[in-house]
Amino acid sequence: MHDKTLTELAAALTAGEFSSRELTQSLLGRIDALDGELNSFITITAEQALADADRADQARAKGEAGPLTGLPLALKDIFCTEGVKTTCGSRMLDNFISPYDATVVEKLKHAGTVCLGKTNMDEFAMGSSNENSFYGPVKNPWDLTAVPGGSSGGSAAAVAAGLVPAALGTDTGGSIRQPASFCGITGLKPTYGRVSRYGIIAYASSLDQAGPMARTAEDCAWLLGAIAGHDLRDSTSVARGVPDYREELGASLSGLKIGLPKEYFGDGLDPNVEAAVREAVRVYESLGATVREVSLPHTHHAIPAYYVIAPAEASSNLSRYDGVRFGHRCDNPKDLIDLYERTRAEGFGEEVKRRILIGTHTLSEGFFDAYYKKAQQVRRLIRQDFLDAFEDVDVLMGPASPTPAFDLGAKKDPVSMYLQDIYTIAINLAGIPGISIPAGLAGSRPIGLQILGPYFAEPQLLNIAHQFQQATDWHRQRPALGEENA
Amino acid sequence: MSLEHADVQRAAHLARIALGDDEASHYVDDLGRILAMADQLQAVDTKGVAPLAHPLDSTQRLRADEVTETDQRDHFQRCAPAVADGLYLVPRVVE
Amino acid sequence: MMEWETVIGLEVHVQLATRSKIFSGASTAFGAEPNSQACAVDLGLPGVLPVLNESAVAMAVKFGLGINAEIPEVSIFDRKNYFYPDLPKGYQTSQMHHPIVGPGEVEITLEDGSTKRIRIHHAHLEEDAGKSLHEDFQGMTGIDLNRAGTPLLEIVSEPDMRSAKEAVAYLKAIHAIVTYLGISDGNMAEGSMRCDANVSVRPKGQEEFGTRAEIKNVNSFRFVERAIAFEAERQIELIEDGGKVVQETRLFDPDRDETRSMRTKEHANDYRYFPCPDLLPVVLDQAYVDHLRSSLPELPAEKRARFQDELGLSAYDAGVLSSSRAMAEYFEAVKEVCGDAKQAANWVQGELSGALNRENLGIDQSPVTATQLGELVARVMDDTVSGKAAKQVFAALWNGEGDSADAIIDARGLKQVTDSGAIEAMIDQVIADSPVQVAQYRDADPEKRGKMIGYFVGQVMKASRGTANPQQVNALLKDKLDNL
């Protein structure tokens, strides 16, 4: 059961091959057997999952099942889930039982899905390796000495390891696409505003966006349809109809114009990654696409701009963790300032503090114009690069990450870690959608192809990814885990 | 723009994060390198470029003035560290 | 001795009278159980997001139109970052660089009836904080977040006021505008309107401003006057003694009638304003603004002008009667019922205001309704009652001793007697009962008689228990006595 896609599982449930309870039990057993090593889950909600599965089976028996009814999923632990611990990977929220559901969680519950648990992540979504979690690092199922990527590393690893067929992640600077690439799965970051942010614990509000992580583009299309849409509780969510993303799958790619940004094939790109990406592009040519080189001249300013904007927003977003209304509170505060300073010193990990300090510094008097305002101006130039490129081509393709998954503990220096995100970060600054799909292996470590499109081009991106998956079987590759134990 | 020990301490104070002197020194180094990276932005010509706060050029939607929330105090205070008589408690604030 | 001039600018925070909060659907009602009106958004729970209340925007724009301000097409919310327990998110959502209301002006009326224009720098929308309760809760401070997220309009004046009295007049003018517009209840006791004053002094004739102090917590008309007067005095003494005013925040203590420096923080505040990424630019199209403009009620200045030009009231009367929405509405209702503006003005400012002042009541708390008063004034005008009897009727209405002027007049037999037969009968009786006075009158010089007639008038009025028409009594008496 654990090898099947959402689409296949839905068919099996409909055909009565097995019940949602049997499926849920089987996956919970697999989590029990394998996740001790992988550490992809922070919280496993077994009891609730079985109850939800039973409800789904009853609905099916009564003929009331919808397309997603009874399908198991996992949620990055950044989504607020009522009555369930929601930690955001932080000691600060280790005791936080959310009193409400995020909008996307409501939608998934409404669709009848079964949530198996909350997945591990870099603390407050700050990281590219999942090593910044209060709950310990996640291991890459393809190679237990490698990182799964971050910040949605738990979701990526759980899907890759067959613990769950699909999961939700969030992407602020690459946090869906990069771990999807490192773990050999498909991950989509939708257009900013496509999916409601209400109930998603904020890192950098103008960049955060939730999206699906699954084995295939088809599954991502299905899941995106379930979570996308306008939300009256999120001012930045877009009032725009949600297409049937699965209906768009199947359109021919003949005449598709692909642009390869030359800046995405420069220094620091691993030759294995480059070879895999170029090979993937050749597959697209064989499917009728034409390819040309384009330029995104401000690419190299994306990382500095991001590391001004995101920490600035984060420094303010994370001020609410003050030990007063929820979350960690230090013991015996002697006065108010002590309550604040010790609660926050104890509750936040090193990377979170680093970004809060950077953001606080760059927003403070005398620095605002030089950093924040400048970064926002550069942000406009970066967006313009993409708008210009999409005048000439339909989509852009390139690597999701300059290298395959690196070793756990390999990147001690924050700046070298930040530079990992060179191919993903500009996409968040521009707010356009992007998808990463498996396109090769470097030894045992997967390689991801990233496809970028104009605003709200999710249907096209998903179809383009789907066509690749019809023509190749990189997405069917599975890591060799200790199956005999499962 | 170089970063001094005092800058880090000042940011830590503004952000209400207790920072020992050793820790602060460690951050001076890290933050200094991050800012050095950020300083690369100064080389970009942004004359006449308006700052971009949101990727999409959309405008604020307005909500009808209706009371839609009910009293959920007990529910919300279940996750609070210290409450009494419906109030959140903090160390005495001296005005 | 040097002559000093005080320079004052006010920052007035007005709670807008919306039903729900500025960014959430929680109620703004005053006086609820602690934290019972603090929803997930107000509490700043992880993951929550703000959505802007249309009424708050409309009310702010109406204020802008009411002070003839420019309404910018785009306004932007910023975050003001600081830590305080009554500020749940660790930032206040406010408007720093692009406020919803641009520069405007307000006309104030001073005690001598003269007017002055005070410029308003801008007004911006922001969210209110919660309240810290410093009573003992296990030795701790208690936080109530019901007020957190209540919409505030902060109205920032230019430093255009030159005395405490001008500041009070300005505050009253703002109060009148927001209550006329119905955008706030203006209740200062409940904190619906709060005021900070920036005060500095300079030698008269000097262009340059002195160093200013910001005085917090001046939350009544009386306190504004006292706090500013004290602070100006303090600064003048300080300078005359060779000292220097420091720029600081001072707290007004109404009990001790003084301002004192608030504890200086180790580090100066740095609020790190930046545009709130959870809210988008607010764009107001012209049609929306025009629609609000067309819905504006008549404002104090317009009303004052109309009272003078159309109703023929004096500048002073027009000013007093338009000073608050409640006063103007009361006056206009009395006028409507009695049909005479001048009489209505006299009664509202005379008998009614006197009684209200004695019992320290606002006009909206008057036990005598405008209709009751209007009917009474009408009875005076049609000679049903004498002015003197009318005062008795008013007192009875005030004390709730009757439902209407007519009922009281009837019940107490206060109807003015204009029947000359009945009056003549009373006169004859008085003349018959006063032989000594009649003889004196007859013997007196004709020019002294005028004075002596007063005695007879008094006797007749007494006999009629005040109901006889005095002019009529006078004329009939003179005729009778002179022809005896």
Side-chain angles (χ1 to χ4, degrees):
Chain A
M1 286 179 216
H2 68 266
D3 255 352
K4 289 184 164 29
T5 65
L6 272 187
T7 314
E8 289 160 357
L9 289 170
L13 287 173
T14 305
E17 286 173 34
F18 41 78
S19 67
S20 177
R21 167 171 268 270
E22 286 165 333
L23 172 60
T24 301
Q25 259 172 337
S26 155
L27 293 176
L28 287 171
R30 195 170 160 82
I31 291 170
D32 198 36
L34 298 175
D35 205 47
E37 178 77 43
L38 291 175
N39 198 29
S40 67
F41 280 86
I42 291 172
T43 302
I44 298 156
T45 50
E47 221 168 287
Q48 203 171 314
L50 288 169
D52 289 346
D54 286 343
R55 228 185 329 272
D57 287 333
Q58 284 155 20
R60 190 172 303 282
K62 283 191 265 178
E64 292 166 1
L68 290 172
T69 300
L71 291 175
L73 299 171
L75 299 169
K76 184 179 184 178
D77 207 15
I78 199 169
F79 295 91
C80 283
T81 42
E82 183 170 353
V84 175
K85 195 162 93 156
T86 301
T87 69
C88 220
S90 181
R91 181 182 179 199
M92 187 61 92
L93 292 175
D94 184 45
N95 60 2
F96 179 62
I97 310 290
S98 175
Y100 77 107
D101 276 331
T103 296
V104 295
V105 174
E106 264 178 10
K107 283 176 175 252
L108 288 174
K109 280 185 179 173
H110 190 72
T113 63
V114 174
C115 177
L116 300 187
K118 309 289 292 291
T119 57
N120 204 342
M121 58 183 285
D122 283 302
E123 184 179 3
F124 284 102
M126 298 179 191
S128 310
S129 69
N130 220 306
E131 292 168 299
N132 298 333
S133 169
F134 175 63
Y135 301 93
V138 177
K139 290 178 183 167
N140 191 319
W142 292 84
D143 181 340
L144 299 178
T145 64
V147 302
S151 65
S152 310
S155 288
V159 172
L163 308 185
V164 65
L168 290 193
T170 61
D171 189 319
T172 305
S175 284
I176 286 176
R177 292 159 289 149
Q178 184 253 25
S181 142
F182 280 13
C183 291
I185 65 164
T186 303
L188 171 74
K189 184 205 90 79
T191 303
Y192 181 80
R194 178 72 289 189
V195 177
S196 166
R197 293 188 296 114
Y198 190 83
I200 299 173
I201 297 179
Y203 159 26
S205 312
S206 76
L207 302 160
D208 295 343
Q209 186 61 199
M213 303 174 81
R215 304 220 169 90
T216 64
E218 186 179 17
D219 284 2
C220 284
W222 217 359
L223 213 43
L224 179 63
I227 61 171
H230 187 218
D231 182 2
L232 297 179
R233 291 177 294 187
D234 175 3
S235 300
T236 62
S237 95
V238 177
R240 189 184 167 108
V242 179
D244 183 339
Y245 294 108
R246 287 203 303 164
E247 228 165 58
E248 309 278 335
L249 304 179
S252 159
L253 299 189
S254 172
L256 178 75
K257 286 181 277 182
I258 296 171
L260 301 183
K262 65 175 186 210
E263 292 80 5
Y264 284 33
F265 294 87
D267 287 347
L269 178 59
D270 181 288
N272 290 313
V273 174
E274 176 163 5
V277 168
R278 294 212 184 268
E279 177 54 33
V281 171
R282 273 191 289 278
V283 172
Y284 277 108
E285 284 178 302
S286 74
L287 294 173
T290 59
V291 179
R292 75 172 77 162
E293 190 182 83
V294 296
S295 175
L296 303 171
H298 294 92
T299 295
H300 291 283
H301 302 301
I303 288 179
Y306 177 91
Y307 280 97
V308 171
I309 292 170
E313 293 184 8
S315 71
S316 176
N317 284 335
L318 270 61
S319 290
R320 70 191 59 203
Y321 305 102
D322 59 4
V324 178
R325 296 164 317 286
F326 46 77
H328 178 69
R329 178 179 180 122
C330 69
D331 288 333
N332 307 313
K334 66 176 186 348
D335 55 24
L336 190 62
I337 195 101
D338 185 44
L339 166 72
Y340 288 150
E341 292 195 340
R342 266 201 299 134
T343 294
R344 291 166 62 78
E346 294 167 4
F348 292 138
E350 190 181 333
E351 181 63 23
V352 172
K353 288 184 200 172
R354 191 178 289 126
R355 295 197 195 185
I356 291 176
L357 292 174
I358 277 287
T360 304
H361 178 76
T362 54
L363 283 179
S364 57
E365 226 177 298
F367 298 105
F368 179 88
D369 282 357
Y371 289 119
Y372 192 79
K373 189 174 164 215
K374 185 80 181 180
Q376 283 205 326
Q377 290 174 307
V378 172
R379 184 175 187 178
R380 185 174 293 278
L381 297 174
I382 289 167
R383 181 178 72 160
Q384 196 58 46
D385 282 356
F386 287 106
L387 298 182
D388 291 345
F390 291 129
E391 294 281 312
D392 297 328
V393 297
D394 300 316
V395 291
L396 299 170
M397 288 189 187
S401 170
T403 64
F406 45 89
D407 289 345
L408 281 156
K411 295 199 190 294
K412 300 263 185 252
D413 164 49
V415 173
S416 73
M417 184 74 93
Y418 299 168
L419 295 173
Q420 274 299 306
D421 298 331
I422 174 78
Y423 303 137
T424 49
I425 241 165
I427 285 76
N428 299 77
L429 291 168
I432 59 171
I435 191 168
S436 173
I437 57 174
L441 283 168
S444 63
R445 300 186 186 185
I447 294 167
L449 168 74
Q450 184 176 221
I451 313 169
L452 309 173
Y455 293 123
F456 301 104
E458 288 85 357
Q460 292 75 31
L461 290 189
L462 286 162
N463 178 49
I464 291 163
H466 178 68
Q467 296 305 319
F468 185 78
Q469 293 179 341
Q470 297 301 104
T472 64
D473 65 356
W474 292 113
H475 64 291
R476 288 206 188 83
Q477 306 292 314
R478 297 282 178 269
L481 273 170
E483 302 288 326
E484 65 280 5
N485 301 329
Chain B
M1 271 170 260
S2 71
L3 190 79
E4 311 278 328
H5 196 274
D7 294 326
V8 172
Q9 286 292 12
R10 181 168 185 279
H13 175 73
L14 285 171
R16 299 293 186 268
I17 295 174
L19 218 56
D21 257 356
D22 284 358
E23 258 183 302
S25 304
H26 164 72
Y27 280 119
V28 171
D29 184 42
D30 271 4
L31 269 49
R33 278 180 305 130
I34 297 167
L35 285 178
M37 178 180 78
D39 283 339
Q40 294 167 19
L41 293 175
Q42 302 311 319
V44 185
D45 179 7
T46 53
K47 207 173 289 161
V49 179
L52 180 69
H54 291 94
L56 303 175
D57 294 308
S58 32
T59 60
Q60 181 62 36
R61 186 182 62 77
L62 301 179
R63 173 179 65 80
D65 181 21
E66 285 159 8
V67 176
T68 52
E69 299 292 334
T70 52
D71 176 11
Q72 296 192 73
R73 182 177 78 187
D74 295 344
H75 184 57
F76 289 142
Q77 291 194 337
R78 228 164 278 151
C79 61
V83 289
D85 303 336
L87 297 160
Y88 294 95
L89 298 185
V90 297
R92 193 180 276 283
V93 177
V94 190
E95 288 262 306
Chain C
M1 247 231 1
M2 193 180 283
E3 259 207 273
W4 294 91
E5 181 174 58
T6 310
V7 175
I8 305 150
L10 294 188
E11 290 168 17
V12 181
H13 289 84
V14 175
Q15 274 187 354
L16 298 176
T18 55
R19 283 186 284 272
S20 63
K21 295 191 176 171
I22 185 167
F23 298 123
S24 83
S27 169
T28 54
F30 181 80
E33 279 288 294
N35 291 308
S36 62
Q37 290 174 177
C39 71
V41 173
D42 306 327
L43 294 174
L45 289 183
V48 298
L49 295 170
V51 185
L52 182 58
N53 183 335
E54 193 270 338
S55 284
V57 170
M59 289 178 180
V61 171
K62 280 185 184 174
F63 176 79
L65 295 172
I67 59 163
N68 291 315
E70 180 194 323
I71 308 295
E73 190 190 358
V74 178
S75 66
I76 289 172
F77 283 95
D78 298 291
R79 291 185 183 176
K80 178 182 181 179
N81 295 284
Y82 66 96
F83 285 86
Y84 203 72
D86 63 16
L87 189 72
K89 300 184 295 293
Y91 57 83
Q92 180 191 30
T93 309
S94 181
Q95 297 184 310
M96 176 65 174
H97 297 294
H98 302 277
I100 189 154
V101 174
E105 61 178 25
V106 169
E107 191 178 83
I108 62 170
T109 308
L110 303 170
E111 275 176 348
D112 63 1
S114 64
T115 60
K116 177 174 177 180
R117 289 185 185 281
I118 305 295
R119 290 168 304 151
I120 287 177
H121 182 269
H122 77 272
H124 65 259
L125 279 170
E126 60 186 25
E127 57 185 338
D128 209 344
K131 281 183 183 164
S132 301
L133 303 167
H134 302 295
E135 296 98 78
D136 194 32
F137 297 98
Q138 306 162 14
M140 315 267 273
T141 289
I143 308 296
D144 174 8
L145 297 171
N146 279 349
R147 199 179 66 178
T150 298
L152 290 179
L153 186 67
E154 180 173 340
I155 303 158
V156 181
S157 84
E158 296 283 0
D160 282 357
M161 288 152 274
R162 295 292 175 268
S163 69
K165 289 208 185 312
E166 286 187 14
V168 173
Y170 168 79
L171 196 58
K172 285 187 171 164
I174 295 291
H175 187 270
I177 292 169
V178 300
T179 51
Y180 263 77
L181 289 169
I183 62 172
S184 175
D185 64 18
N187 188 332
M188 295 183 85
E190 288 179 5
S192 304
M193 202 166 139
R194 312 196 287 271
C195 181
D196 301 333
N198 288 307
V199 180
S200 64
V201 297
R202 62 181 172 187
K204 216 161 195 155
Q206 181 183 302
E207 283 267 331
E208 203 184 317
F209 290 129
T211 307
R212 66 188 159 86
E214 185 183 11
I215 315 170
K216 296 257 181 208
N217 195 30
V218 280
N219 295 331
S220 79
F221 297 123
R222 214 151 39 94
F223 290 177
V224 166
E225 186 161 354
R226 279 164 47 190
I228 293 172
F230 171 86
E231 178 61 18
E233 202 53 40
R234 184 190 73 84
Q235 292 185 12
I236 291 167
E237 274 177 30
L238 186 65
I239 299 169
E240 286 183 341
D241 290 349
K244 260 184 135 177
V245 177
V246 287
Q247 186 162 346
E248 60 178 351
T249 303
R250 299 179 67 86
L251 196 68
F252 177 60
D253 182 342
D255 297 330
R256 301 167 73 172
D257 210 6
E258 62 176 31
T259 66
R260 60 165 184 272
S261 184
M262 288 174 84
R263 237 159 29 100
T264 37
K265 315 245 160 66
E266 324 139 50
H267 297 263
N269 259 331
D270 182 340
Y271 293 122
R272 289 157 285 138
Y273 282 98
F274 77 108
C276 178
D278 289 328
L279 292 162
L280 300 165
V282 180
V283 176
L284 302 172
D285 62 48
Q286 198 53 47
Y288 178 78
V289 175
D290 288 344
H291 161 74
L292 291 174
R293 195 190 308 272
S294 69
S295 73
L296 287 188
E298 191 181 35
L299 289 168
E302 295 158 2
K303 226 179 242 295
R304 188 166 61 235
R306 182 169 59 83
F307 285 178
Q308 270 183 266
D309 300 346
E310 289 179 24
L311 304 183
L313 301 185
S314 70
Y316 177 81
D317 287 356
V320 172
L321 292 170
S322 62
S323 65
S324 80
R325 181 178 180 162
M327 174 70 98
E329 282 176 354
Y330 193 103
F331 159 72
E332 293 206 80
V334 173
K335 188 210 79 184
E336 215 48 51
V337 174
C338 77
D340 188 286
K342 191 69 204 165
Q343 289 292 333
N346 287 344
W347 275 87
V348 170
Q349 291 182 89
E351 210 61 18
L352 179 72
S353 293
L356 291 171
N357 287 342
R358 264 195 308 281
E359 302 202 11
N360 207 8
L361 296 176
I363 196 154
D364 46 349
Q365 299 164 297
S366 169
V368 180
T369 67
T371 306
Q372 288 173 326
L373 183 58
E375 287 168 355
L376 173 57
V377 176
R379 293 296 160 265
V380 175
M381 290 169 59
D382 68 11
D383 283 337
T384 305
V385 286
S386 66
K388 201 167 166 192
K391 290 184 180 172
Q392 291 179 47
V393 178
F394 180 85
L397 284 170
W398 183 272
N399 296 322
E401 294 162 9
D403 288 340
S404 69
D406 285 341
I408 293 166
I409 292 164
D410 277 355
R412 305 197 174 188
L414 294 174
K415 202 168 161 100
Q416 181 159 262
V417 180
T418 51
D419 169 1
S420 59
I423 295 174
E424 273 184 72
M426 285 186 274
I427 289 173
D428 292 343
Q429 188 61 48
V430 167
I431 289 174
D433 292 347
S434 320
V436 178
Q437 288 82 358
V438 170
Q440 285 173 344
Y441 184 90
R442 209 169 24 205
D443 296 344
D445 289 338
E447 58 271 22
K448 287 195 177 164
R449 284 180 177 177
K451 232 179 189 175
M452 296 175 74
I453 204 166
Y455 165 78
F456 299 99
V457 174
Q459 291 299 309
V460 175
M461 289 310 290
K462 198 168 161 187
S464 76
R465 293 183 356 275
T467 61
N469 181 312
Q471 286 86 32
Q472 227 175 341
V473 171
N474 216 2
L476 286 168
L477 258 174
K478 196 163 168 5
D479 187 51
K480 288 231 177 212
L481 286 169
D482 289 351
N483 295 308
L484 273 174

